[in-house]
Amino acid sequence: AQSVTQPDIHITVSEGASLELRCNYSYGATPYLFWYVQSPGQGLQLLLKYFSGDTLVQGIKGFEAEFKRSQSSFNLRKPSVHWSDAAEYFCAAARSGNTGKLIFGQGTTLQVKP
Amino acid sequence: DAGVIQSPRHEVTEMGQEVTLRCKPISGHNSLFWYRQTMMRGLELLIYFNNNVPIDDSGMPEDRFSAKMPNASFSTLKIQPSEPRDSAVYFCASSRPAEGYHSYGYTFGSGTRLTVV
């Protein structure tokens, strides 16, 4: 069955420290991959997406993600975290880019310490 | 671009009552998705439409739930009768046709927080 796994439910980092959020997927073929961020009481905002080509993708707010086919992973990174980055982060995958089911991981809550 | 618009933002209703959630997708987007978010189950896809036609409703929990998309600019999700376990945040999302292999992703609305008492 198709699935997306985010192994870390909750992560705490200090402001200014680097961040990596993990995401693994299980699909028959390489899916389209996405990272979304959700602030409390808000909807989901697209950070970045991957569908082919360069395996390192840049997104908004200084985030980047690296696709590794051999590890079935699409980890999200940021070199220096800001307090405003505290939110919940969701990795998601779809078989096609716009018409297929978008399946979400369980989410990782990021807390930023001053 | 006003984004995906959902109404109401909050809904409190009594068990047994009918609830209707509304969604206006982004103009030009041809796919529309309804999701439900709960602490226990995370984000679940309930149903999605492509060009106003329901493609996959396998995520709809039971017959109490129904969704329609009468035209390209409007969709409803109805729960009748509502139950306390339906309490959740319901999100609508839309997407535009891909251009070649380029995908634009899915744009989400701000959600409707439903509380059934």
Side-chain angles (χ1 to χ4, degrees):
Chain A
Q2 300 162 348
S3 66
V4 176
T5 303
Q6 293 179 246
D8 305 306
I9 303 299
H10 191 275
I11 282 184
T12 301
V13 300
S14 297
E15 190 168 16
S18 63
L19 170 71
E20 182 169 28
L21 302 182
R22 296 184 291 164
C23 173
N24 293 96
Y25 64 90
S26 175
Y27 264 74
T30 300
Y32 290 75
L33 296 162
F34 307 83
W35 274 100
Y36 284 85
V37 61
Q38 184 180 32
S39 298
Q42 301 297 313
L44 286 84
Q45 182 182 22
L46 179 65
L47 286 175
L48 48 78
K49 59 187 184 290
Y50 170 81
F51 48 95
S52 67
D54 193 346
T55 57
L56 184 64
V57 294
Q58 302 297 320
I60 62 171
K61 304 185 179 186
F63 286 92
E64 66 178 27
E66 185 172 14
F67 169 68
K68 292 186 178 180
R69 185 189 306 274
S70 61
Q71 299 177 17
S72 297
S73 69
F74 188 57
N75 294 349
L76 182 71
R77 301 195 296 244
K78 187 169 185 177
S80 177
V81 171
H82 187 263
W83 64 266
S84 60
D85 293 325
E88 189 159 18
Y89 292 80
F90 292 92
C91 182
R95 183 175 295 174
S96 71
N98 71 311
T99 59
K101 290 183 179 182
L102 187 63
I103 296 175
F104 285 87
Q106 284 298 99
T108 298
T109 300
L110 173 65
Q111 183 179 0
V112 180
K113 293 190 301 184
Chain B
D1 186 349
V4 177
I5 300 173
Q6 291 187 247
S7 64
R9 287 298 307 273
H10 302 274
E11 177 80 33
V12 180
T13 190
E14 291 185 347
M15 182 173 62
Q17 296 298 305
E18 177 180 297
V19 175
T20 299
L21 311 181
R22 297 172 176 79
C23 175
K24 177 179 170 55
I26 292 174
S27 177
H29 283 199
N30 70 331
S31 295
L32 184 140
F33 307 80
W34 282 101
Y35 283 85
R36 178 172 67 176
Q37 184 178 35
T38 61
M39 288 292 293
M40 291 298 296
R41 300 175 68 89
L43 277 156
E44 304 172 276
L45 176 64
L46 300 177
I47 184 172
Y48 78 95
F49 297 82
N50 194 31
N51 294 322
N52 311 338
V53 176
I55 301 300
D56 187 340
D57 65 354
S58 59
M60 296 286 260
E62 47 198 276
D63 292 345
R64 297 185 297 107
F65 285 69
S66 62
K68 294 183 179 179
M69 192 165 186
N71 56 62
S73 60
F74 184 66
S75 177
T76 59
L77 178 68
K78 186 176 295 186
I79 308 173
Q80 167 63 22
S82 58
E83 297 181 3
R85 59 194 169 114
D86 301 330
S87 298
V89 180
Y90 290 82
F91 287 104
C92 176
S94 69
S95 66
R96 60 183 286 186
E99 294 179 358
Y101 288 103
H102 183 75
S103 162
Y104 297 96
Y106 304 67
T107 303
F108 282 77
S110 298
T112 295
R113 181 173 295 277
L114 173 65
T115 303
V116 183
V117 298

Short mmCIF file of all heavy atoms in Angstrom, two decimals, chain B residues 62-108:
data_model
loop_
_atom_site.label_atom_id
_atom_site.label_comp_id
_atom_site.label_asym_id
_atom_site.label_seq_id
_atom_site.Cartn_x
_atom_site.Cartn_y
_atom_site.Cartn_z
N GLU B 62 -18.82 7.07 5.71
CA GLU B 62 -20.06 6.30 5.67
C GLU B 62 -21.12 7.09 4.92
O GLU B 62 -20.86 8.21 4.45
CB GLU B 62 -20.52 5.98 7.09
CG GLU B 62 -20.50 7.17 8.04
CD GLU B 62 -20.54 6.73 9.50
OE1 GLU B 62 -21.64 6.48 10.00
OE2 GLU B 62 -19.47 6.65 10.12
N ASP B 63 -22.29 6.48 4.80
CA ASP B 63 -23.34 7.09 3.98
C ASP B 63 -23.83 8.42 4.52
O ASP B 63 -24.52 9.16 3.80
CB ASP B 63 -24.53 6.13 3.86
CG ASP B 63 -24.16 4.90 3.03
OD1 ASP B 63 -23.12 4.95 2.35
OD2 ASP B 63 -24.91 3.92 3.08
N ARG B 64 -23.50 8.74 5.72
CA ARG B 64 -23.93 10.04 6.27
C ARG B 64 -23.20 11.19 5.57
O ARG B 64 -23.63 12.33 5.64
CB ARG B 64 -23.65 10.10 7.76
CG ARG B 64 -24.42 9.07 8.58
CD ARG B 64 -24.19 9.27 10.06
NE ARG B 64 -22.78 9.06 10.44
CZ ARG B 64 -21.96 10.03 10.78
NH1 ARG B 64 -22.36 11.30 10.77
NH2 ARG B 64 -20.72 9.75 11.12
N PHE B 65 -22.11 10.88 4.92
CA PHE B 65 -21.31 11.90 4.24
C PHE B 65 -21.63 11.88 2.74
O PHE B 65 -21.69 10.83 2.11
CB PHE B 65 -19.82 11.62 4.42
CG PHE B 65 -19.28 11.95 5.78
CD1 PHE B 65 -19.64 11.19 6.88
CD2 PHE B 65 -18.40 13.00 5.95
CE1 PHE B 65 -19.14 11.49 8.15
CE2 PHE B 65 -17.89 13.30 7.20
CZ PHE B 65 -18.26 12.55 8.30
N SER B 66 -21.79 13.08 2.18
CA SER B 66 -21.96 13.19 0.74
C SER B 66 -21.29 14.47 0.26
O SER B 66 -21.19 15.44 1.01
CB SER B 66 -23.45 13.18 0.35
OG SER B 66 -24.10 14.30 0.91
N ALA B 67 -20.84 14.46 -0.98
CA ALA B 67 -20.18 15.64 -1.54
C ALA B 67 -20.67 15.84 -2.97
O ALA B 67 -20.94 14.88 -3.68
CB ALA B 67 -18.66 15.48 -1.52
N LYS B 68 -20.77 17.11 -3.33
CA LYS B 68 -21.19 17.46 -4.68
C LYS B 68 -20.30 18.55 -5.23
O LYS B 68 -19.73 19.35 -4.49
CB LYS B 68 -22.64 17.93 -4.67
CG LYS B 68 -23.65 16.87 -4.30
CD LYS B 68 -25.08 17.42 -4.38
CE LYS B 68 -26.10 16.35 -4.02
NZ LYS B 68 -27.50 16.87 -4.07
N MET B 69 -20.24 18.59 -6.54
CA MET B 69 -19.56 19.69 -7.23
C MET B 69 -20.39 20.04 -8.44
O MET B 69 -20.14 19.53 -9.55
CB MET B 69 -18.13 19.32 -7.60
CG MET B 69 -17.32 20.50 -8.05
SD MET B 69 -15.56 20.15 -8.07
CE MET B 69 -14.93 21.79 -8.44
N PRO B 70 -21.39 20.89 -8.26
CA PRO B 70 -22.32 21.19 -9.36
C PRO B 70 -21.69 21.98 -10.50
O PRO B 70 -22.18 21.91 -11.63
CB PRO B 70 -23.42 22.00 -8.67
CG PRO B 70 -22.79 22.56 -7.45
CD PRO B 70 -21.76 21.55 -7.01
N ASN B 71 -20.63 22.72 -10.20
CA ASN B 71 -19.93 23.45 -11.25
C ASN B 71 -18.47 23.64 -10.84
O ASN B 71 -18.08 23.26 -9.72
CB ASN B 71 -20.61 24.80 -11.52
CG ASN B 71 -20.72 25.66 -10.28
OD1 ASN B 71 -19.71 26.04 -9.69
ND2 ASN B 71 -21.95 25.96 -9.87
N ALA B 72 -17.70 24.24 -11.72
CA ALA B 72 -16.25 24.33 -11.50
C ALA B 72 -15.87 25.26 -10.36
O ALA B 72 -14.72 25.29 -9.95
CB ALA B 72 -15.56 24.77 -12.79
N SER B 73 -16.81 26.04 -9.85
CA SER B 73 -16.46 27.04 -8.85
C SER B 73 -17.07 26.79 -7.49
O SER B 73 -17.02 27.65 -6.61
CB SER B 73 -16.86 28.43 -9.34
OG SER B 73 -18.25 28.48 -9.58
N PHE B 74 -17.64 25.60 -7.27
CA PHE B 74 -18.33 25.39 -6.01
C PHE B 74 -18.45 23.91 -5.68
O PHE B 74 -18.77 23.09 -6.55
CB PHE B 74 -19.74 26.01 -6.07
CG PHE B 74 -20.51 25.95 -4.80
CD1 PHE B 74 -20.10 26.65 -3.68
CD2 PHE B 74 -21.68 25.18 -4.71
CE1 PHE B 74 -20.82 26.61 -2.50
CE2 PHE B 74 -22.40 25.14 -3.53
CZ PHE B 74 -21.98 25.85 -2.42
N SER B 75 -18.21 23.60 -4.41
CA SER B 75 -18.39 22.22 -3.94
C SER B 75 -18.93 22.25 -2.52
O SER B 75 -18.67 23.20 -1.76
CB SER B 75 -17.07 21.46 -3.97
OG SER B 75 -17.23 20.15 -3.44
N THR B 76 -19.70 21.23 -2.17
CA THR B 76 -20.21 21.09 -0.81
C THR B 76 -19.90 19.72 -0.26
O THR B 76 -19.82 18.73 -1.00
CB THR B 76 -21.73 21.30 -0.76
OG1 THR B 76 -22.37 20.33 -1.60
CG2 THR B 76 -22.12 22.70 -1.19
N LEU B 77 -19.71 19.68 1.03
CA LEU B 77 -19.58 18.43 1.77
C LEU B 77 -20.67 18.45 2.84
O LEU B 77 -20.73 19.37 3.65
CB LEU B 77 -18.20 18.31 2.42
CG LEU B 77 -17.96 17.06 3.28
CD1 LEU B 77 -17.93 15.81 2.41
CD2 LEU B 77 -16.64 17.18 4.05
N LYS B 78 -21.54 17.45 2.80
CA LYS B 78 -22.69 17.42 3.69
C LYS B 78 -22.61 16.21 4.61
O LYS B 78 -22.23 15.11 4.18
CB LYS B 78 -23.99 17.38 2.88
CG LYS B 78 -25.25 17.49 3.68
CD LYS B 78 -26.48 17.54 2.79
CE LYS B 78 -26.49 18.79 1.95
NZ LYS B 78 -27.76 18.93 1.16
N ILE B 79 -22.97 16.45 5.86
CA ILE B 79 -23.03 15.37 6.84
C ILE B 79 -24.46 15.37 7.41
O ILE B 79 -24.92 16.36 7.94
CB ILE B 79 -22.03 15.56 7.99
CG1 ILE B 79 -20.62 15.81 7.45
CG2 ILE B 79 -22.03 14.33 8.91
CD1 ILE B 79 -19.59 16.19 8.52
N GLN B 80 -25.15 14.25 7.25
CA GLN B 80 -26.53 14.15 7.69
C GLN B 80 -26.85 12.71 8.07
O GLN B 80 -26.83 11.84 7.19
CB GLN B 80 -27.48 14.63 6.60
CG GLN B 80 -28.94 14.30 6.80
CD GLN B 80 -29.56 14.93 8.03
OE1 GLN B 80 -29.05 15.92 8.53
NE2 GLN B 80 -30.64 14.35 8.53
N PRO B 81 -27.15 12.42 9.33
CA PRO B 81 -27.07 13.31 10.49
C PRO B 81 -25.65 13.37 11.04
O PRO B 81 -24.88 12.43 10.89
CB PRO B 81 -28.00 12.61 11.49
CG PRO B 81 -27.84 11.15 11.16
CD PRO B 81 -27.64 11.08 9.68
N SER B 82 -25.33 14.46 11.68
CA SER B 82 -23.99 14.61 12.25
C SER B 82 -23.89 13.89 13.59
O SER B 82 -24.89 13.70 14.30
CB SER B 82 -23.64 16.09 12.41
OG SER B 82 -24.60 16.73 13.24
N GLU B 83 -22.66 13.46 13.91
CA GLU B 83 -22.37 12.78 15.17
C GLU B 83 -21.15 13.41 15.81
O GLU B 83 -20.30 14.00 15.10
CB GLU B 83 -22.13 11.28 14.93
CG GLU B 83 -23.33 10.55 14.38
CD GLU B 83 -23.07 9.07 14.18
OE1 GLU B 83 -21.97 8.60 14.52
OE2 GLU B 83 -24.00 8.37 13.69
N PRO B 84 -21.01 13.29 17.13
CA PRO B 84 -19.84 13.89 17.80
C PRO B 84 -18.51 13.44 17.20
O PRO B 84 -17.56 14.22 17.15
CB PRO B 84 -20.00 13.43 19.25
CG PRO B 84 -21.47 13.30 19.43
CD PRO B 84 -21.99 12.75 18.11
N ARG B 85 -18.41 12.20 16.73
CA ARG B 85 -17.14 11.72 16.18
C ARG B 85 -16.80 12.36 14.83
O ARG B 85 -15.70 12.14 14.30
CB ARG B 85 -17.16 10.21 16.03
CG ARG B 85 -18.26 9.66 15.12
CD ARG B 85 -18.40 8.16 15.32
NE ARG B 85 -19.61 7.63 14.67
CZ ARG B 85 -19.57 6.81 13.66
NH1 ARG B 85 -18.41 6.41 13.17
NH2 ARG B 85 -20.68 6.35 13.12
N ASP B 86 -17.71 13.15 14.28
CA ASP B 86 -17.43 13.88 13.05
C ASP B 86 -16.67 15.18 13.34
O ASP B 86 -16.23 15.87 12.40
CB ASP B 86 -18.72 14.23 12.32
CG ASP B 86 -19.53 12.99 11.95
OD1 ASP B 86 -18.91 11.92 11.73
OD2 ASP B 86 -20.76 13.09 11.89
N SER B 87 -16.53 15.51 14.59
CA SER B 87 -15.82 16.74 14.95
C SER B 87 -14.38 16.67 14.44
O SER B 87 -13.65 15.71 14.73
CB SER B 87 -15.83 16.94 16.47
OG SER B 87 -17.15 17.09 16.95
N ALA B 88 -13.99 17.68 13.69
CA ALA B 88 -12.68 17.67 13.03
C ALA B 88 -12.52 19.00 12.30
O ALA B 88 -13.44 19.83 12.29
CB ALA B 88 -12.56 16.52 12.04
N VAL B 89 -11.37 19.17 11.69
CA VAL B 89 -11.19 20.28 10.75
C VAL B 89 -11.26 19.71 9.35
O VAL B 89 -10.57 18.74 9.03
CB VAL B 89 -9.84 21.00 10.96
CG1 VAL B 89 -9.70 22.16 9.96
CG2 VAL B 89 -9.73 21.53 12.39
N TYR B 90 -12.11 20.29 8.53
CA TYR B 90 -12.30 19.82 7.17
C TYR B 90 -11.65 20.82 6.22
O TYR B 90 -11.95 22.02 6.24
CB TYR B 90 -13.79 19.68 6.87
CG TYR B 90 -14.42 18.54 7.63
CD1 TYR B 90 -14.81 18.71 8.96
CD2 TYR B 90 -14.60 17.29 7.04
CE1 TYR B 90 -15.35 17.65 9.68
CE2 TYR B 90 -15.15 16.24 7.75
CZ TYR B 90 -15.52 16.43 9.07
OH TYR B 90 -16.06 15.38 9.79
N PHE B 91 -10.75 20.31 5.39
CA PHE B 91 -10.05 21.15 4.43
C PHE B 91 -10.48 20.83 3.02
O PHE B 91 -10.73 19.68 2.66
CB PHE B 91 -8.53 20.92 4.52
CG PHE B 91 -7.88 21.50 5.74
CD1 PHE B 91 -7.51 20.70 6.80
CD2 PHE B 91 -7.64 22.86 5.82
CE1 PHE B 91 -6.91 21.23 7.93
CE2 PHE B 91 -7.03 23.41 6.94
CZ PHE B 91 -6.67 22.60 8.00
N CYS B 92 -10.54 21.89 2.23
CA CYS B 92 -10.74 21.76 0.81
C CYS B 92 -9.44 22.18 0.13
O CYS B 92 -8.75 23.11 0.61
CB CYS B 92 -11.90 22.66 0.38
SG CYS B 92 -12.22 22.71 -1.39
N ALA B 93 -9.08 21.52 -0.94
CA ALA B 93 -7.88 21.88 -1.71
C ALA B 93 -8.21 21.80 -3.20
O ALA B 93 -9.11 21.05 -3.61
CB ALA B 93 -6.72 20.95 -1.38
N SER B 94 -7.51 22.58 -3.98
CA SER B 94 -7.70 22.50 -5.43
C SER B 94 -6.34 22.50 -6.13
O SER B 94 -5.32 22.92 -5.53
CB SER B 94 -8.58 23.63 -5.94
OG SER B 94 -7.92 24.90 -5.85
N SER B 95 -6.33 22.03 -7.35
CA SER B 95 -5.09 22.02 -8.12
C SER B 95 -5.42 22.30 -9.58
O SER B 95 -6.52 22.04 -10.06
CB SER B 95 -4.35 20.68 -7.97
OG SER B 95 -5.08 19.63 -8.55
N ARG B 96 -4.41 22.80 -10.27
CA ARG B 96 -4.58 23.13 -11.68
C ARG B 96 -3.97 22.04 -12.52
O ARG B 96 -3.15 21.27 -12.05
CB ARG B 96 -3.92 24.48 -11.98
CG ARG B 96 -2.44 24.52 -11.68
CD ARG B 96 -1.87 25.88 -11.92
NE ARG B 96 -1.72 26.20 -13.33
CZ ARG B 96 -1.13 27.29 -13.80
NH1 ARG B 96 -0.64 28.18 -12.95
NH2 ARG B 96 -1.03 27.50 -15.09
N PRO B 97 -4.35 22.00 -13.80
CA PRO B 97 -3.77 20.96 -14.66
C PRO B 97 -2.26 21.10 -14.74
O PRO B 97 -1.73 22.20 -14.83
CB PRO B 97 -4.43 21.23 -16.02
CG PRO B 97 -5.68 21.97 -15.70
CD PRO B 97 -5.37 22.79 -14.49
N ALA B 98 -1.59 19.97 -14.72
CA ALA B 98 -0.14 19.99 -14.88
C ALA B 98 0.20 20.40 -16.31
O ALA B 98 -0.56 20.15 -17.24
CB ALA B 98 0.44 18.62 -14.56
N GLU B 99 1.33 21.04 -16.48
CA GLU B 99 1.82 21.40 -17.80
C GLU B 99 3.02 20.52 -18.09
O GLU B 99 4.09 20.72 -17.50
CB GLU B 99 2.18 22.89 -17.85
CG GLU B 99 0.96 23.80 -17.68
CD GLU B 99 1.32 25.26 -17.69
OE1 GLU B 99 2.52 25.60 -17.78
OE2 GLU B 99 0.40 26.09 -17.59
N GLY B 100 2.82 19.54 -18.95
CA GLY B 100 3.86 18.56 -19.17
C GLY B 100 4.10 17.81 -17.89
O GLY B 100 3.18 17.31 -17.25
N TYR B 101 5.35 17.80 -17.46
CA TYR B 101 5.67 17.12 -16.21
C TYR B 101 5.71 18.07 -15.04
O TYR B 101 6.06 17.69 -13.94
CB TYR B 101 7.03 16.41 -16.34
CG TYR B 101 6.97 15.19 -17.23
CD1 TYR B 101 7.44 15.22 -18.52
CD2 TYR B 101 6.41 14.01 -16.75
CE1 TYR B 101 7.37 14.10 -19.32
CE2 TYR B 101 6.33 12.89 -17.55
CZ TYR B 101 6.81 12.94 -18.83
OH TYR B 101 6.75 11.84 -19.62
N HIS B 102 5.34 19.31 -15.27
CA HIS B 102 5.42 20.28 -14.18
C HIS B 102 4.14 20.28 -13.38
O HIS B 102 3.05 20.46 -13.90
CB HIS B 102 5.67 21.69 -14.75
CG HIS B 102 5.82 22.71 -13.68
ND1 HIS B 102 6.95 22.82 -12.92
CD2 HIS B 102 4.98 23.67 -13.22
CE1 HIS B 102 6.81 23.80 -12.05
NE2 HIS B 102 5.63 24.33 -12.20
N SER B 103 4.29 20.06 -12.10
CA SER B 103 3.13 20.06 -11.21
C SER B 103 3.14 21.31 -10.35
O SER B 103 4.19 21.75 -9.89
CB SER B 103 3.19 18.83 -10.29
OG SER B 103 2.34 19.01 -9.18
N TYR B 104 1.99 21.88 -10.14
CA TYR B 104 1.87 23.07 -9.30
C TYR B 104 1.50 22.76 -7.88
O TYR B 104 1.40 23.63 -7.04
CB TYR B 104 0.84 24.02 -9.92
CG TYR B 104 1.24 24.51 -11.29
CD1 TYR B 104 0.78 23.90 -12.44
CD2 TYR B 104 2.12 25.59 -11.42
CE1 TYR B 104 1.16 24.34 -13.70
CE2 TYR B 104 2.50 26.03 -12.67
CZ TYR B 104 2.03 25.41 -13.80
OH TYR B 104 2.42 25.85 -15.03
N GLY B 105 1.25 21.51 -7.59
CA GLY B 105 0.88 21.17 -6.23
C GLY B 105 -0.58 21.49 -5.96
O GLY B 105 -1.35 21.84 -6.84
N TYR B 106 -0.94 21.36 -4.72
CA TYR B 106 -2.31 21.51 -4.28
C TYR B 106 -2.39 22.71 -3.34
O TYR B 106 -1.57 22.84 -2.44
CB TYR B 106 -2.77 20.26 -3.53
CG TYR B 106 -2.64 18.96 -4.30
CD1 TYR B 106 -1.39 18.45 -4.62
CD2 TYR B 106 -3.76 18.24 -4.69
CE1 TYR B 106 -1.25 17.26 -5.32
CE2 TYR B 106 -3.63 17.05 -5.37
CZ TYR B 106 -2.38 16.56 -5.69
OH TYR B 106 -2.24 15.39 -6.37
N THR B 107 -3.39 23.57 -3.54
CA THR B 107 -3.59 24.73 -2.69
C THR B 107 -4.74 24.47 -1.74
O THR B 107 -5.84 24.11 -2.18
CB THR B 107 -3.88 25.98 -3.54
OG1 THR B 107 -2.80 26.18 -4.46
CG2 THR B 107 -3.99 27.20 -2.64
N PHE B 108 -4.47 24.67 -0.45
CA PHE B 108 -5.47 24.37 0.58
C PHE B 108 -6.19 25.63 1.04
O PHE B 108 -5.61 26.71 1.11
CB PHE B 108 -4.80 23.71 1.78
CG PHE B 108 -4.50 22.26 1.58
CD1 PHE B 108 -3.41 21.87 0.81
CD2 PHE B 108 -5.30 21.28 2.14
CE1 PHE B 108 -3.13 20.53 0.60
CE2 PHE B 108 -5.03 19.94 1.93
CZ PHE B 108 -3.95 19.56 1.17
#
